[in-house]
Amino acid sequence: MDKQIRIGLIGAGQIGNQHLEGYSKIAEARVVAVADLLEERVTAAKSKYDIPEGYTDYRLLLARGDIDAVDVCVHNNKHAPLTIASLEAGKHVYCEKPMAGAYRDAASMLEASRSCDRMLHIQLGTLYSAEARAARRLIEDGQLGRIYYARSFGFRRRGRPFVDGYGSPAFVDRSIAAGGALFDMGIYHIAQILHLIGNPDVLTVTGSTHQELDMYEDRREFSNFSVEEMALGWVRLKGGISLDIEETWAAHHDGQESSKILGSQGGIRLDPLTFFTSKSDLPLTAAIDAKSADYRWHACFPDTAWYDSSQRHWIGALLGQVPLLPTAEYALNTALISEGIYLSTSEGHEVTGEQILQASKSKAVDPFTPEKIWKQASA
């Protein structure tokens, strides 16, 4: 394919560099400009990935007429203003998860995408695994019958960012991250379930969040740890579907559970992918060989390759090779559920989708707000 999608990336930190590495492996993509408030990040990214131009003012990047799409890789509360500015500049936008720090901001992003007639794609990497593709085929072929229950599950035994040694303090400071385990991991698992069951509307949410386990006190204080390590939720979805959620960064347990979907004719466990049904009045449990099926689909159906990763799918959609998955809609619904869990926790009762929407307040900050720089921890 002769055409290359020309990309400008905003935010050259840890996640931005992961995106740059991904584009370097996609022949149809070319990053032509990078912007970051910190000049040293711009210089490093240009050098490592052979990017022609770099800016400390993102508006100079958006002013360029030769950029097809913008990749937004900044802190959560800057997603909305940068995404909307990029859409209004006529660029398609790929945005890192979560969609935004608040439902109201995420909704504004999707509204801007539609009014500007530009594509908006959210990084939801769990949609592109061989297991997710196989699960979706089972569901679309009717093997589960009428779906009535789903469970979204994510687990780390002890993996809170920074305080347990992984990642940066930005993940656990609410003023920057806006949320904890729900925003870091939960969006992947909740959105994957919504993708598989057709993204039904949210009717009500009941939830609670916890931060209970001990942590190194110097790291707690240094990072301003102010987010949840565990989030629990129960969601009533349109169509008579119940969804329960357990997402944890740290727990005294072994995590021997999985996301799952149950229907009137069959059920699936997602990890490892297993199909449950009944034949001749006998219970049947089948291990799904998703890897070999995926190999066959790649060999026989070339478009399959455009679903190998979030970034590759994005490029394929921009090239018109495949329709873009509605990841912005999945991410928006996930934001509503997440904010519903927080609201239910604070108010102590079940909340409706309309109540969540009405209570949501923007958390967007000026893109030129200086990045918080942490010096080395004391221990």
Side-chain angles (χ1 to χ4, degrees):
M1 188 173 299
D2 294 334
K3 180 171 172 56
Q4 275 192 324
I5 299 297
R6 295 172 64 85
I7 297 164
L9 182 135
I10 303 175
Q14 177 186 346
I15 301 301
N17 273 268
Q18 291 179 13
H19 285 214
L20 290 171
E21 187 66 27
Y23 288 126
S24 73
K25 296 176 172 61
I26 302 174
E28 298 85 357
R30 174 79 169 103
V31 179
V32 298
V34 60
D36 194 287
L37 289 177
L38 301 179
E39 189 170 0
E40 57 268 29
R41 288 182 178 176
V42 174
T43 301
K46 286 178 60 182
S47 175
K48 184 174 181 179
Y49 296 101
D50 190 27
I51 301 171
E53 300 294 338
Y55 310 96
T56 54
D57 185 338
Y58 75 92
R59 294 172 300 187
L60 298 175
L61 184 151
L62 295 186
R64 292 178 53 152
D66 63 339
I67 290 177
D68 302 306
V70 168
D71 189 320
V72 174
C73 288
V74 294
H75 291 318
N76 301 344
N77 290 333
K78 293 184 178 182
H79 285 182
L82 284 172
T83 292
I84 293 169
S86 300
L87 292 165
E88 291 177 346
K91 320 299 184 189
H92 303 289
V93 176
Y94 179 73
C95 184
E96 177 59 28
K97 64 80 187 172
M99 194 167 177
Y103 173 81
R104 185 165 297 278
D105 296 325
S108 296
M109 292 163 64
L110 184 56
E111 181 181 352
S113 169
R114 290 170 174 169
S115 64
C116 295
D117 195 24
R118 299 287 91 182
M119 285 191 281
L120 173 61
H121 186 47
I122 309 299
Q123 191 279 110
L124 298 173
T126 48
L127 308 188
Y128 305 93
S129 67
E131 290 75 16
R133 289 200 288 266
R136 184 159 186 177
R137 180 167 290 215
L138 285 168
I139 292 168
E140 289 179 342
D141 284 351
Q143 298 298 330
L144 271 61
R146 190 189 76 79
I147 292 171
Y148 61 89
Y149 170 78
R151 175 166 170 75
S152 170
F153 179 77
F155 176 85
R156 293 178 190 165
R157 178 68 180 265
R158 186 170 173 181
R160 295 164 295 191
F162 185 72
V163 297
D164 289 329
Y166 164 79
S168 75
F171 283 91
V172 298
D173 185 333
R174 184 174 295 278
S175 68
I176 296 172
L182 262 181
F183 278 9
D184 180 35
M185 293 168 35
I187 184 169
Y188 285 131
H189 306 122
I190 298 169
Q192 183 184 56
I193 291 293
L194 294 176
H195 165 66
L196 292 173
I197 66 176
N199 200 31
D201 292 342
V202 174
L203 302 179
T204 65
V205 179
T206 303
S208 61
T209 63
H210 301 274
Q211 197 290 292
E212 301 289 344
L213 273 63
D214 292 339
M215 66 182 70
Y216 303 128
E217 288 302 322
D218 62 326
R219 286 188 169 250
R220 182 201 298 269
E221 182 177 357
F222 178 81
S223 63
N224 186 34
F225 194 106
S226 48
V227 295
E228 79 284 352
E229 68 186 11
M230 170 181 269
L232 306 168
W234 181 266
V235 186
R236 289 184 174 88
L237 299 168
K238 189 174 181 180
I241 302 173
S242 299
L243 168 65
D244 86 273
I245 296 162
E246 178 180 339
E247 199 69 38
T248 181
W249 272 342
H252 296 308
H253 201 264
D254 61 5
Q256 295 300 307
E257 300 173 57
S258 171
S259 294
K260 63 184 179 183
I261 301 171
L262 303 183
S264 58
Q265 300 299 317
I268 54 173
R269 179 173 58 214
L270 291 178
D271 184 20
L273 185 59
T274 311
F275 177 56
F276 304 90
T277 190
S278 180
K279 295 293 182 183
S280 301
D281 200 30
L282 297 168
L284 174 66
T285 300
I288 303 295
D289 187 354
K291 295 292 191 297
S292 65
D294 201 52
Y295 175 85
R296 183 175 66 255
W297 295 337
H298 274 79
C300 299
F301 308 106
D303 282 355
T304 301
W306 293 115
Y307 296 87
D308 282 348
S309 71
S310 178
Q311 284 175 279
R312 184 154 180 78
H313 177 63
W314 173 234
I315 298 302
L318 290 174
L319 289 169
Q321 296 298 304
V322 290
L324 183 68
L325 289 173
T327 54
E329 285 84 351
Y330 299 155
L332 182 61
N333 222 7
T334 302
L336 187 68
I337 291 169
S338 299
E339 197 152 329
I341 290 174
Y342 293 138
L343 182 62
S344 176
T345 299
S346 66
E347 297 200 352
H349 58 74
E350 183 178 72
V351 293
T352 67
E354 184 62 27
Q355 287 172 328
I356 302 165
L357 190 155
Q358 293 300 321
S360 183
K361 294 180 173 57
S362 175
K363 295 181 179 177
V365 300
D366 188 324
F368 287 104
T369 301
E371 300 297 302
K372 185 174 181 180
I373 305 298
W374 285 268
K375 303 300 181 184
Q376 185 175 355
S378 59

